[in-house]
Structure formats: structure tokens, C-alpha cells
Amino acid sequence: METQLTWYGQSAFRIVTPAGKVLLIDPWLTNPVFEGAKEEIAALAHVDLILITHGHSDHVGDAVEIGKRTRAKLVATFDLSAAIVSALGYPSELADIETTGHMGGTLTLLGGEVAVTFVPAWHGSGVSKDETAPSIYAGNPTGLVVALRGGPTIYHTGDTDLFSDMALVSRFQKIDTMLVCIGDHFTMGPARAAEAVKLVGPREVIPMHYGTFPVLTGTPEAFEGELKRRKSKAQLRVMKIGETIALGAG
Ligand SMILES: [Zn+2]
């Protein structure tokens, strides 16, 4: 089976590995642009891992609800995991040392089906119970490199600005698919995101974190123009919200 990738809008993805393992990244399904979130969440009968890049609510999203029901293990840095457990109530027995790491480290999970490496991102990471509650310390934000056995290696940038050390991500693992934020305002916009793609050199690139709110003004069209201007060899794949695509092997 080929790897399946579903985009729910913002930075939320579902990955189904060639062996049928189910991973969610930054699972904010109840975002303003994904219709049918309640039905989709109810239909997520089996989830193995929930990966979170940082503590903001548009990334933690529906993780606690989904985790409690599916018993998915939480994959996050030490500080973020502790904040999600203590402040938001993610079951602590599903957030133990096996799936908790930190930047530069690789976790080998699900019997070697999945290897997750935490890499830097330039952003914030505080966790809040709700919009009026004070922010709780959750460490530094990250990007995630997710290497699938028999499938591609995927780099999810998290929320970040462009930084030159992104070039180091692909020095250790060739990146097949890069999921890159392009929305501007809170993260890179199209021009800086295209520069990030040049640094990483993936085979294909999928834009995310745009169009969810009016202030996230970056568009796939502008991003495409910026990639062309830089003569990027990465294939641009623009996903529709709720769409599932197949990803080739590495
Ligand atoms: Zn965000």
C-alpha cells in the first residue's frame, strides 16, 4: 500500500503508513475551513500516534479528545508533552518517555515503522486552556521529520520563519515531502517559504497554514510564483481541504 496523506486545513494532517499505521500531526480538525470535522473525528476509530509541533491551540487542536478516545500516544518534546498533559488533560500514560523526546533526537516508534526527529522552528509554544487563560510554558516549538518504513520521509515545518539551519535537516535525511507554512502574519509567507524549500531541497512540497483566517494571506499561487522565481526543482502539490493523496516511497 502507498502512504496516504490527508490535509484537514491549517497544519493538520493524517498519515496512513504503508503498514496501515495512523498518525495525526497538529490535529486541529475543528478549524474554520474544514467542514465535517465532528464526523471525521468520530470516524477516527484507530490512531496510533498524535504528533504536535508546538502548544498553540491551532496545532494542539482536538488532540486531547482524539487521544482519550483512540488511546493514541502523544509524540512531542518533553516540555510540550508535560504542558499538554498537565494543563489540557492528555492521559499521562499515553505520553511517556517512549514518545517524548527533544530537538536533535530521533524516536523509533511502532516497531520501527516510524522514526520521528524533532528539529528547530522559530516561533512560540505556550499552551492555553482557553483564550482568557494565561499561557503555560511548553518549551520551544519544533518541526518534525517523519520517516516511514517503505514510504517517504516527510518534513512538517511547524510554524516558523525561514532560518538558514533548515539546510541541515536534509543533510541527515533526504526529504521527500515537505509540508511548509506559507500563510504569512504568524509564519513565513510565500517568498520566505520558497527560500526554505530551496534550503531543504525536497522532491515535492505541499503548502499549509494559509487561508484559515483572513490574516493568513499567503496563497498557493503566490508560493508557486516564488518557487519558479528561485528555479526550485520541488514539485508543488496543492491539496484541497479534506483531500487524501498518495505519497510515493522515498
Ligand atoms: Zn499556527
Side-chain angles (χ1 to χ4, degrees):
M1 195 183 93
E2 278 190 302
T3 303
Q4 305 287 314
L5 180 75
T6 303
W7 185 43
Y8 295 121
Q10 197 73 336
S11 303
F13 291 89
R14 179 184 60 188
I15 298 168
V16 182
T17 74
K21 303 293 185 190
V22 180
L23 283 56
L24 300 178
I25 305 181
D26 287 358
W28 189 35
L29 276 64
T30 52
N31 67 61
V33 290
F34 178 49
E35 290 168 14
K38 291 287 172 210
E39 296 76 17
E40 179 71 13
I41 289 171
L44 285 170
H46 180 86
V47 180
D48 293 286
L49 302 172
I50 296 178
L51 292 66
I52 313 269
T53 60
H54 64 287
H56 296 163
S57 60
D58 60 315
H59 296 262
V60 177
D62 307 296
V64 176
E65 180 189 340
I66 297 168
K68 279 181 177 170
R69 194 168 47 75
T70 64
R71 308 295 291 167
K73 293 199 75 174
L74 178 66
V75 180
T77 62
F78 182 85
D79 309 85
L80 176 60
S81 185
I84 292 173
V85 168
S86 64
L88 304 181
Y90 204 99
S92 59
E93 68 274 18
L94 301 174
D96 61 19
I97 196 165
E98 186 200 5
T99 57
T100 305
H102 231 305
M103 276 183 272
T106 298
L107 311 183
T108 303
L109 303 169
L110 304 177
E113 281 299 320
V114 178
V116 177
T117 306
F118 299 99
V119 296
W122 274 103
H123 196 66
S125 185
V127 165
S128 299
K129 272 186 185 167
D130 56 59
E131 281 175 18
T132 57
S135 181
I136 294 157
Y137 175 76
N140 290 310
T142 68
L144 299 166
V145 179
V146 182
L148 306 177
R149 182 189 278 164
T153 296
I154 299 164
Y155 171 32
H156 185 297
T157 64
D159 281 5
T160 187
D161 185 18
L162 168 70
F163 56 102
S164 58
D165 284 358
M166 281 177 165
L168 297 176
V169 170
S170 50
R171 184 176 296 185
F172 297 91
Q173 290 164 286
K174 180 163 175 12
I175 302 300
D176 299 301
T177 305
M178 181 172 174
L179 312 176
V180 64
C181 50
I182 68 158
D184 213 332
H185 199 98
F186 290 111
T187 72
M188 300 184 282
R192 296 165 86 87
E195 203 65 37
V197 172
K198 283 290 278 187
L199 289 177
V200 173
R203 188 179 73 221
E204 62 185 3
V205 60
I206 295 168
M208 64 176 179
H209 210 273
Y210 65 91
T212 321
F213 313 108
V215 295
L216 302 185
T217 54
T219 63
E221 294 74 27
F223 182 50
E224 182 173 27
E226 297 291 351
L227 288 170
K228 281 193 179 141
R229 188 175 307 173
R230 288 167 179 79
K231 298 184 170 37
S232 168
K233 292 191 185 75
Q235 184 197 349
L236 173 65
R237 296 180 81 176
V238 178
M239 293 182 72
K240 295 190 186 75
I241 289 159
E243 186 187 12
T244 299
I245 62 172
L247 300 180

